[in-house]
């Protein structure tokens, strides 16, 4: 898997063909609660948010 950096919601939706908006939203919310991704919201018109992997989500934690 190639790490592309922060992605917008629509970019993620294009990466997962056939996923419904509801399922993507629920999945992103759960991944965020689990600490695997971050969500950065920008105060723009129209509103914009980006999602990025955390170090935990990248799997770069070492024991």
């Amino acid at each position: 898997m190639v790490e592309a950096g922060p992605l917008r919601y629509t970019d993620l939706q294009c990466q997962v063909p056939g996923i419904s908006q509801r399922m993507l939203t629920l999945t992103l919310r759960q991944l965020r609660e689990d600490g695997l991704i971050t969500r950065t919201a920008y105060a723009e018109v129209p509103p914009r948010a980006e999602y990025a992997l955390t170090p935990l989500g990248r799997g770069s934690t070492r024991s």
Side-chain angles (χ1 to χ4, degrees):
M1 180 174 155
V2 176
E3 191 173 321
L7 294 172
R8 294 178 71 174
Y9 183 91
T10 54
D11 297 328
L12 291 167
Q13 201 169 25
C14 290
Q15 295 289 321
V16 186
I19 193 166
S20 68
Q21 287 185 349
R22 175 173 166 72
M23 194 66 210
L24 181 56
T25 299
L26 292 174
T27 302
L28 290 172
R29 186 176 298 142
Q30 187 63 54
L31 290 170
R32 195 168 159 216
E33 288 174 6
D34 292 344
L36 298 174
I37 63 170
T38 59
R39 180 182 186 270
T40 305
Y42 298 92
E44 299 177 347
V45 176
R48 175 173 65 105
E50 292 180 340
Y51 298 88
L53 288 171
T54 64
L56 178 62
R58 285 199 265 336
S60 53
T61 57
R62 305 270 182 209
S63 298

